[in-house]
Amino acid sequence: MKEDKILLSHGSGGKLSYKLIKELFLANFNNNYLKKLDDGAILNIDGLNLAYTTDSYTVDPLFFKGGNIGELAVYGTVNDLAMCGATPLYLSCSFIIEEGMPLSLLEKIVFSMKKASAIARVDIVTGDTKVVNKGAADKIFINTSGLGVVEDGVNVSGSNAQLGDIIIINGPIGNHGIAVLSEREGLKFETEIQSDTAPLSSLVADILKVSKDIHVLRDPTRGGLATTLKEIALSSKVDLEINEEDIYIQEEVRAACEILGYDPLYLANEGKLVAFVPLEMVSDILIKMRKNKYGKESKVIGKVLKSSEGKVYLNTIIGGKRIVDMLTGEQLPRIC
């Protein structure tokens, strides 16, 4: 079936997003940088490798347990640069503001961005502001772009997964999705679920200190862990195997998913990364990651099985095996 209108699912990070990017944007903007479909582009300018990325943030609600749209905009762009193996340096920031938004609310968002940029050690060096008529936006949308430097010898890409690579994740999944949903819908749980929103550049820097031979880094945001791994498998033309018992999901998140009918593998995260690393480096990398505040719960969750056309297999807790695909439809809109 061919869609003739844009659906919320086109922004989910899942199958329709992938199709839209491949069949419309990539088909018309195609070049050697874009076709990799990484979190950013690596541009070599006079021998200097620069990482460049851009992102937009429309999260609803603007404030949620563990974060807000301003913090998310800074950390999300910093993380996209880090997933290129770069040291983030500079950000731009543009605001699209709805007429009638309280100035005090805008100030609160801007102050949170100031704090977040200091924590992430980046400067916001340029930007833009537009105000649209009441009803033409939902309070505020934020666009950020980022620039960073990639050291010589670092070559990180979603198309670089290799046979025998081990897959590492730095902690539990699904917290951001459930935190935003619970705030949006006024849901109450016995234990407060907080977003995992965090800057991952220091964690990536620690990983690269162990070795520059890191093949893939990716943060599983929209579409969750499952969609991210499927994208990497397709891009690298390999099959992956992950183990359900090794994927950490906090009990509160698991319980919320059971009640609401969500699969945590497809829930958005904002402070998680997956790293594909050679087997011989796993031990040293895990030791280094666990010393970082954002990697204390890092663990191995799977491996690259073989060269293929891009399947992801999940070994289930009950001893079975199932194929994991991209998110179909829209599990939770406006999550970032």
Side-chain angles (χ1 to χ4, degrees):
M1 177 180 173
K2 184 176 178 62
E3 299 80 16
D4 58 0
K5 294 181 180 179
I6 291 295
L7 309 173
L8 276 174
S9 301
H10 283 103
S12 69
K15 279 189 173 182
L16 283 183
S17 295
Y18 189 76
K19 181 180 179 183
L20 184 69
I21 291 168
K22 293 276 284 188
E23 296 182 4
L24 180 59
F25 299 131
L26 188 58
N28 286 281
F29 302 150
N30 191 22
N31 55 62
N32 289 332
Y33 302 107
L34 193 60
K35 71 181 181 181
K36 290 185 177 182
L37 297 181
D38 286 333
D39 286 330
I42 308 299
L43 313 172
N44 186 283
I45 300 176
D46 295 331
L48 183 65
N49 291 321
L50 297 176
Y52 178 67
T53 190
T54 190
D55 210 339
S56 297
Y57 298 86
T58 66
V59 65
D60 174 35
L62 300 180
F63 288 80
F64 44 86
K65 296 294 188 298
N68 62 74
I69 190 173
E71 190 176 273
L72 197 64
V74 172
Y75 291 160
T77 305
V78 163
N79 291 348
D80 281 350
L81 291 171
M83 297 309 112
C84 297
T87 300
L89 296 175
Y90 304 109
L91 302 184
S92 72
C93 181
S94 295
F95 299 91
I96 298 175
I97 307 167
E98 182 186 19
E99 177 190 17
M101 179 182 178
L103 183 58
S104 60
L105 186 58
L106 179 59
E107 288 176 341
K108 191 175 179 181
I109 291 168
V110 170
F111 291 155
S112 74
M113 295 180 74
K114 176 184 177 181
K115 182 179 178 181
S117 61
I119 291 171
R121 298 184 178 180
V122 293
D123 290 322
I124 297 173
V125 296
T126 189
D128 185 48
T129 303
K130 294 291 189 297
V131 177
V132 297
N133 294 338
K134 190 172 184 62
D138 188 357
K139 301 181 187 68
I140 187 170
F141 299 150
I142 300 176
N143 172 269
T144 47
S145 294
L147 192 67
V149 174
V150 181
E151 287 188 23
D152 289 339
V154 174
N155 181 22
V156 175
S157 173
S159 60
N160 285 352
Q162 298 180 20
L163 181 64
D165 276 356
I166 301 301
I167 307 170
I168 299 173
I169 194 166
N170 65 314
I173 64 170
N175 291 55
H176 177 70
I178 295 299
V180 171
L181 176 66
S182 61
E183 195 75 30
R184 185 183 298 174
E185 302 298 334
L187 303 176
K188 302 295 182 182
F189 302 101
E190 287 188 11
T191 303
E192 188 176 271
I193 300 172
Q194 298 226 4
S195 170
D196 61 344
T197 306
L200 300 176
S201 48
S202 66
L203 181 60
V204 170
D206 285 347
I207 293 172
L208 292 173
K209 285 176 186 174
V210 177
S211 174
K212 292 182 179 180
D213 191 26
I214 305 303
H215 299 151
V216 181
L217 293 168
R218 188 64 64 86
D219 54 338
T221 52
R222 292 177 306 161
L225 177 63
T227 298
T228 295
L229 292 177
K230 178 65 175 180
E231 288 174 349
I232 294 168
L234 288 171
S235 185
S236 295
K237 293 183 172 56
V238 294
D239 285 355
L240 312 179
E241 179 182 72
I242 55 175
N243 303 308
E244 186 176 15
E245 66 178 358
D246 294 326
I247 299 170
Y248 180 26
I249 303 165
Q250 291 182 355
E251 285 305 314
E252 297 83 0
V253 172
R254 189 184 300 276
C257 287
E258 290 176 357
I259 293 169
L260 299 168
Y262 288 125
D263 185 338
L265 288 176
Y266 294 96
L267 284 175
N269 311 275
E270 290 295 343
K272 295 297 171 289
L273 64 78
V274 289
F276 286 57
V277 304
L279 175 62
E280 63 272 16
M281 299 176 186
V282 170
S283 180
D284 290 341
I285 287 174
L286 280 175
I287 290 171
K288 193 71 169 178
M289 291 178 71
R290 288 167 180 166
K291 290 180 179 179
N292 187 290
K293 67 181 292 186
Y294 302 118
K296 293 183 183 298
E297 297 169 297
S298 299
K299 62 190 303 185
V300 171
I301 61 168
K303 62 184 177 181
V304 178
L305 279 180
K306 63 181 180 179
S307 298
S308 182
E309 291 305 311
K311 287 187 171 61
V312 180
Y313 298 97
L314 176 73
N315 293 322
T316 67
I317 292 175
I318 61 174
K321 187 188 290 281
R322 70 178 175 92
I323 292 177
V324 174
D325 205 348
M326 290 184 183
L327 175 64
T328 301
E330 177 59 85
Q331 184 163 245
L332 188 60
R334 293 186 58 189
I335 197 70
C336 61

